[in-house]
Amino acid sequence: KWFKGNIIVPEDILSFCCNGLQGSTSPRRAREPEEREEAPGAMASPSAAQNPTEVQMSQLVLPCHTNHRGELSTGQLLKWIDTAACLSAERHAGCPCVTASMDDIYFEHTISVGQVVNIKAKVNRAFNSSMEVGIQVSYEDLCSGKHCSICKAYATFVAQGPLGSKVRLEPLTPQTEEEKIEYSIAAERRRMRLVHKDTLKDLLTSSSQETERETRDGSGAVPAERTRVESVELVLPPHANHQGNTFGGQIMAWMENVATIAASRLCHAHPTLRAIEMFHFRGPSQVGDRLVLKAIVNNAFKNSMEVGVCAEAYGQEMSISRRHINSAFMTFVVLDQEGHPRTLPMLAPEPGDGERRYREASARKKIRLDRKYVVSCKQTEVPLSVPWDQSNKVYLSYNNVSALKMLVAKANWTLAREKEKVRMYTLEEDRFLSFRIEMSVRVAAGRAFSLLSNLRRRHEWDSHYVSAELVQKVDDDDMIYHVVSQKLRNENKPQDFVILASRRKPCSKGDPYVVAFRSVTLPTHPARAEFTRGETLCSGFCIWPESEEMSKVAYYNQAMPGYLNYVTTNVAGLSSDICSTFEACEKFLLKNKEDLISRLQDF
């Protein structure tokens, strides 16, 4: 614990929690070990207020479920995951549902025969006709009682009415802190899925020449054509759901099978599936369809390879063109006896489409690493300042907004002091001391959002800001600023920051307007001798409409323990500096609201 009794923090925290900036030189926490144990019986103990959409499935791994090594087939696991997720979606929708997409899945461990697979699925958020289902998979060793995490996945399901018509879903009301966090971040994940293809196109455009040079390397490489696989499956009633549509999990299992064969043909060994990239089902297939599954190794890296798989369907009439059902990209490794990845042979792509797939695989690897590093890591595992580039801009924006939404959804905020309109709350958690400062303002939420998201106007109400230069406009919702602030106590030069500002309008009724800030690094703006480079991990504004003319403005900031070197002030005193800053913020909002009304009247 940092402290007990009265909360003691420096004046610098109080000032910078108003301006959204904080410095830290404290070391990051070491990464947790690969194998994370769960509490025994985590799946078995019912919650006091269990989510009505929650589905739990436990499957004993039998020899018929395993491969030659006695490990659970990944295809079988995908079938169980899809079934549990579909049942959860149908609990909420009250009607049949179909799998629309699946986000990235990273498999942390293999599961052996005789162990138990525990799957928990529940709806995180319902949109108009689609919903996101979160799935947690762990294994249980019945002899030792050990529980370990296998993977976490997010699937999107669409509710279907008669004749395949879409059904409008009822909104979901989260209850627990965890559910509120997942509910809030689901909107960000949805946004990330929609721009996934554009991210790949942008990266290919910016790095095409480099990847072309890589394709000319590698004498004695294995021709990609040798890894090509084509197989056909007849969809029978056991492969389909109660609507007659082929289970999404069954299609994924068939795709994993041909992908494994293709990977084996490159390495002449038994590969292990490590990851499946985000994919979308383009259309349904029914009982009686023939599914043609094609796979080929797209690229072989030093210790891993990407296999591309395509699924097409056709009926009895061969004259009818095939329907594209799904495409997926799977990453395989080959493990030695110690469980370490082996070096793989190089791949010689086919001219034309083969070279295109080769380049795209290199781009996808870069995106996968960025997404896993920035999105999948815990907040304490991501550096304060992450390098910004074209390949990770979507994921840094996601991390920026989701980190703030996670902070907003936290429970156990403690009211430290209330003075007039301003209320200050604190939250002590792990290595962070977080602040929340809020007030109600007679300004429409949309107008407050527009004013507070523009850092170039921050100096008009925040005396800690000296200047804010717009360095790069990433898109309409993301901007990068170079910010210069006042000198800190006992410092002889001002601080500067490179800040990514991400803004979001409400996704649905009840959502706030969000303006999130985090530090990034840019090669064009390195640390300079005349400034002390500062960093901020998570800060920003949330603005809730209270009426057409009233809004609640809340500012959040996570303070790092490095600030405790400056301990001087009791936060329970609610320093006049914070009050005056927020009073200035209110005057700024009111003044600019009136200026807008005057301009409209003049017009």
Short mmCIF file of all heavy atoms in Angstrom, two decimals, residues 20 71 89 102 225 267 293 324-325 355 456-457 459 483-484 487 494 552:
data_model
loop_
_atom_site.label_atom_id
_atom_site.label_comp_id
_atom_site.label_asym_id
_atom_site.label_seq_id
_atom_site.Cartn_x
_atom_site.Cartn_y
_atom_site.Cartn_z
N GLY A 20 -4.28 16.78 -17.84
CA GLY A 20 -4.22 15.54 -18.59
C GLY A 20 -2.84 15.02 -18.83
O GLY A 20 -2.65 14.14 -19.64
N GLU A 71 -3.25 -34.67 -27.96
CA GLU A 71 -3.68 -33.31 -27.61
C GLU A 71 -5.00 -33.00 -28.31
O GLU A 71 -5.24 -33.45 -29.44
CB GLU A 71 -2.63 -32.29 -28.03
CG GLU A 71 -1.30 -32.47 -27.33
CD GLU A 71 -0.19 -31.64 -27.94
OE1 GLU A 71 -0.40 -31.07 -29.04
OE2 GLU A 71 0.90 -31.59 -27.34
N ALA A 89 -25.75 -16.29 -27.42
CA ALA A 89 -26.40 -15.29 -28.26
C ALA A 89 -27.90 -15.54 -28.37
O ALA A 89 -28.71 -14.60 -28.31
CB ALA A 89 -25.75 -15.29 -29.65
N MET A 102 -15.35 -13.74 -36.18
CA MET A 102 -14.59 -14.12 -34.98
C MET A 102 -13.32 -13.28 -34.96
O MET A 102 -12.63 -13.16 -35.97
CB MET A 102 -14.25 -15.61 -35.02
CG MET A 102 -13.59 -16.15 -33.76
SD MET A 102 -14.75 -16.43 -32.40
CE MET A 102 -15.61 -17.90 -32.99
N GLU A 225 3.66 -24.04 -54.23
CA GLU A 225 2.72 -24.94 -54.88
C GLU A 225 2.70 -26.32 -54.23
O GLU A 225 1.67 -27.00 -54.22
CB GLU A 225 3.06 -25.05 -56.37
CG GLU A 225 2.11 -25.91 -57.18
CD GLU A 225 0.68 -25.38 -57.19
OE1 GLU A 225 0.49 -24.15 -57.04
OE2 GLU A 225 -0.26 -26.20 -57.35
N CYS A 267 6.95 -28.12 -43.72
CA CYS A 267 7.96 -28.42 -42.70
C CYS A 267 8.24 -29.91 -42.54
O CYS A 267 9.18 -30.28 -41.83
CB CYS A 267 7.53 -27.83 -41.36
SG CYS A 267 5.96 -28.49 -40.75
N LEU A 293 -12.68 -26.86 -49.67
CA LEU A 293 -11.74 -26.18 -48.78
C LEU A 293 -10.36 -26.19 -49.43
O LEU A 293 -9.84 -27.24 -49.79
CB LEU A 293 -11.70 -26.87 -47.42
CG LEU A 293 -13.09 -26.96 -46.77
CD1 LEU A 293 -13.33 -28.32 -46.18
CD2 LEU A 293 -13.24 -25.88 -45.71
N HIS A 324 -18.60 -18.05 -52.10
CA HIS A 324 -17.49 -17.86 -51.16
C HIS A 324 -18.07 -17.76 -49.74
O HIS A 324 -18.81 -16.83 -49.44
CB HIS A 324 -16.71 -16.60 -51.51
CG HIS A 324 -15.47 -16.42 -50.70
ND1 HIS A 324 -14.70 -15.29 -50.75
CD2 HIS A 324 -14.86 -17.24 -49.79
CE1 HIS A 324 -13.68 -15.40 -49.92
NE2 HIS A 324 -13.76 -16.58 -49.34
N ILE A 325 -17.73 -18.72 -48.89
CA ILE A 325 -18.28 -18.75 -47.54
C ILE A 325 -17.37 -18.04 -46.54
O ILE A 325 -17.82 -17.26 -45.71
CB ILE A 325 -18.49 -20.22 -47.08
CG1 ILE A 325 -19.47 -20.92 -48.04
CG2 ILE A 325 -19.02 -20.27 -45.65
CD1 ILE A 325 -20.83 -20.30 -48.11
N GLU A 355 2.87 -14.13 -55.11
CA GLU A 355 3.67 -13.02 -54.58
C GLU A 355 2.80 -12.02 -53.83
O GLU A 355 3.22 -11.45 -52.82
CB GLU A 355 4.41 -12.34 -55.73
CG GLU A 355 5.49 -13.22 -56.35
CD GLU A 355 6.17 -12.56 -57.52
OE1 GLU A 355 5.60 -11.56 -58.04
OE2 GLU A 355 7.25 -13.03 -57.93
N ARG A 456 -5.72 22.62 -28.87
CA ARG A 456 -5.15 23.93 -29.21
C ARG A 456 -5.86 25.07 -28.48
O ARG A 456 -5.33 26.18 -28.41
CB ARG A 456 -5.21 24.15 -30.72
CG ARG A 456 -4.20 23.31 -31.49
CD ARG A 456 -4.31 23.50 -32.98
NE ARG A 456 -5.58 23.02 -33.51
CZ ARG A 456 -5.91 23.03 -34.80
NH1 ARG A 456 -5.06 23.52 -35.69
NH2 ARG A 456 -7.08 22.58 -35.21
N ARG A 457 -7.04 24.79 -27.91
CA ARG A 457 -7.75 25.82 -27.15
C ARG A 457 -7.66 25.59 -25.65
O ARG A 457 -8.27 26.30 -24.87
CB ARG A 457 -9.23 25.86 -27.59
CG ARG A 457 -9.43 26.14 -29.06
CD ARG A 457 -10.85 26.53 -29.36
NE ARG A 457 -11.23 27.78 -28.70
CZ ARG A 457 -12.42 28.37 -28.81
NH1 ARG A 457 -13.35 27.80 -29.59
NH2 ARG A 457 -12.70 29.48 -28.18
N HIS A 459 -5.25 26.10 -23.57
CA HIS A 459 -4.60 27.17 -22.81
C HIS A 459 -5.57 28.29 -22.45
O HIS A 459 -5.30 29.10 -21.55
CB HIS A 459 -3.44 27.76 -23.62
CG HIS A 459 -3.88 28.51 -24.83
ND1 HIS A 459 -4.20 27.89 -26.03
CD2 HIS A 459 -4.08 29.85 -25.04
CE1 HIS A 459 -4.57 28.80 -26.91
NE2 HIS A 459 -4.51 30.00 -26.34
N VAL A 483 2.62 19.02 -27.00
CA VAL A 483 2.14 19.90 -25.93
C VAL A 483 3.31 20.36 -25.07
O VAL A 483 4.18 19.56 -24.71
CB VAL A 483 1.10 19.16 -25.05
CG1 VAL A 483 0.69 20.01 -23.86
CG2 VAL A 483 -0.11 18.77 -25.89
N VAL A 484 3.32 21.64 -24.74
CA VAL A 484 4.31 22.20 -23.83
C VAL A 484 3.57 22.73 -22.61
O VAL A 484 2.57 23.44 -22.74
CB VAL A 484 5.11 23.34 -24.48
CG1 VAL A 484 6.09 23.96 -23.48
CG2 VAL A 484 5.86 22.82 -25.71
N LYS A 487 6.64 24.73 -16.01
CA LYS A 487 7.67 24.02 -15.26
C LYS A 487 7.09 23.36 -14.03
O LYS A 487 6.21 23.91 -13.37
CB LYS A 487 8.77 25.00 -14.82
CG LYS A 487 9.55 25.63 -15.96
CD LYS A 487 10.58 26.61 -15.41
CE LYS A 487 11.33 27.29 -16.54
NZ LYS A 487 12.33 28.26 -16.01
N PRO A 494 10.58 23.52 -18.73
CA PRO A 494 9.20 23.04 -18.89
C PRO A 494 9.16 21.60 -19.40
O PRO A 494 10.15 21.08 -19.92
CB PRO A 494 8.60 24.00 -19.90
CG PRO A 494 9.76 24.53 -20.67
CD PRO A 494 10.91 24.57 -19.71
N LYS A 552 -22.96 16.55 -17.89
CA LYS A 552 -22.02 16.26 -16.81
C LYS A 552 -20.65 16.01 -17.43
O LYS A 552 -20.50 15.12 -18.27
CB LYS A 552 -22.45 15.04 -15.99
CG LYS A 552 -21.52 14.76 -14.81
CD LYS A 552 -22.03 13.62 -13.94
CE LYS A 552 -21.75 12.28 -14.60
NZ LYS A 552 -22.07 11.15 -13.70
#
